Amino acid sequence: MKTALLPSHPHGARIAEIFSYSWRWIETPNDGLKTDWKTNTKHPIRPRILWQKYQDASTIVGVRFGSTTRYGLVDVDHDSPHNTPEGIQKLCWALETIGIARPIVIRSSWSGGHHIYCPLPQAVNTFGLAVALEQTFLAHGYPLAPGQLECFPNVKAYAKWWEGEFTEYNGHRLPLQPATGSCVVDPFDLDPMPQGENLAIFLGMWDNRQQHTDMEMLLEAISTAKAHRRKRQRMAKGKVAQWQADLEATIAEGWTGPHQTNHLLKEIACYGRVFRGLGGQELVDYIERTATNAPGFFQFSDHQADLNRRAHHWAISASHYYWPLGSLPLINHTNLSVNEYRAAEARERIKEAITKLGDAVGLSIRQLATKLAELAQCSIATLYRNRELWHPAGTAEATPEATPEATPTEQPVTAQTERVPATIEEMRALVRESLGILENSTVTGQGGENEVCSLKSLLQKNLKSGQREGGPGGREGFPQGKAVENSPGVGWLPRLDWKEGAVADVR
């Protein structure tokens, strides 16, 4: 990132840092006549050029706001009913309710209007500050009106920048320019302060007043104002119009922190599909272009390297779940569960992967499955659940067991209902069956994976030789690994000649 070349004079460097947005700057001749502001659209103004024009008494220069700002400005025109000491004080008290205390009041020009500057210790969202200022004054009974009471930044018209539309915040003149009549005034009587035209005094006050702003209160006011604005818009619009407005607002704000990529790509894909009618590669390109141009993408997104893959995924998803506004829906998704939708989406990805792969002659089943899974961005297990779409053998023989080359996958397991044996004879049969499975292999008594024991053996197997009352069974123990008398020769398993009512009987 290039470092801007600041003016060598410390006052000039400070002015350039405070009023740092350089695009579409404004200027007008300082000839004592009515101002005729012109906007420069050809190139941004460099910090050193800004300082030169600031010092030039023959011209008045002004700037606009970027996406974030560290100050706000209230403009009270010379013939406004608020342009009195009492009116200015009431406006300052209103600002204090959102955390902005002790702003700087200056006379803006010889005409006698006033500007109330609100320095902030940290940058805030420009549009959020504009909404907060507007709603604060409205709540106190001071509606904004051109030529009477205005706020900078203003609540500008919404523009879809990702579609080539663009609007700027309103521009304002810079303070205390030579021969303009601008100076710092006493907020209680609006009289010029001693050395009120001294830029050093103004900059010193700026740094001091930043520390008086309650940022926690201001950020809460911004959040509340934005939520209130969205609520009013929802009440004034229909469902489809509000859906579109919500998507546009979300996309316009872009990334404000990490872990937002999937959510924002989904919103971009939805907007492109529904309100732009895009599909296929056009939708993929639209998602990529909109994401990379969005605020905060390169600062916060961790998926810059795989953006194309994610854009492709969300384009497919949006194309199968949404349809262009005004057209008939492809399928009724309202009756699909989440799992059913995901399964249908996976099948569509597999179909597209088959089309992309084309001729698979010469590939083994394993190679074919690997390629398709990679193209469809799904697992091998998902691929085999949809084997009728791609496997040469279809559904009848296309299983990992029937196809040696196929990658093994989990096989369906039929859950068996647990049943408690009704009689002792039935239990004995079950135990003998389990012993038969072991094929009389040695049972270690050390908790091996094939170890089988009954409830009675669990009570005794950890007792030492000759020990009494040493375990929950309360009987004489025996060494681990040593055969028990009358046991069927498979280690330490208990006798099978149980009687109903014995300790080991389980009912």
Side-chain angles (χ1 to χ4, degrees), residues 76-83 111-113 146-148:
V76 183
D77 203 66
H78 67 93
D79 59 355
S80 169
H82 304 288
N83 195 34
S111 67
Q148 298 291 314

Side-chain angles (χ1 to χ4, degrees), residues 298-314:
F298 293 103
Q299 180 181 1
F300 294 112
S301 177
D302 294 330
H303 300 285
Q304 299 171 29
D306 62 343
L307 177 60
N308 179 266
R309 181 176 65 84
R310 290 179 177 273
H312 183 79
H313 166 77
W314 283 113

Side-chain angles (χ1 to χ4, degrees), residues 489-500:
V490 290
W492 47 267
L493 286 167
R495 300 169 59 93
L496 297 180
D497 55 344
W498 301 335
K499 296 182 180 179
E500 189 169 359

Side-chain angles (χ1 to χ4, degrees), residues 413-472:
V413 177
T414 303
Q416 297 185 5
T417 304
E418 184 178 356
R419 187 174 64 87
V420 178
T423 64
I424 286 294
E425 287 74 16
E426 192 172 353
M427 180 179 288
R428 288 173 181 169
L430 289 174
V431 172
R432 288 192 180 93
E433 181 181 352
S434 68
L435 296 178
I437 293 174
L438 293 176
E439 297 180 352
N440 292 334
S441 61
T442 302
V443 180
T444 65
Q446 302 297 321
E449 62 179 4
N450 292 323
E451 186 174 51
V452 179
C453 63
S454 70
L455 182 61
K456 185 173 180 180
S457 68
L458 285 173
L459 297 177
Q460 294 184 344
K461 71 170 188 171
N462 290 324
L463 296 180
K464 296 180 180 179
S465 178
Q467 183 178 359
R468 292 180 179 273
E469 306 296 334

Side-chain angles (χ1 to χ4, degrees), residues 149-169:
L149 178 65
E150 297 180 75
C151 288
F152 297 82
N154 62 302
V155 181
K156 68 173 184 175
Y158 190 83
K160 305 170 188 174
W161 49 263
W162 59 93
E163 296 183 10
E165 298 179 9
F166 194 77
T167 58
E168 289 277 9
Y169 291 98

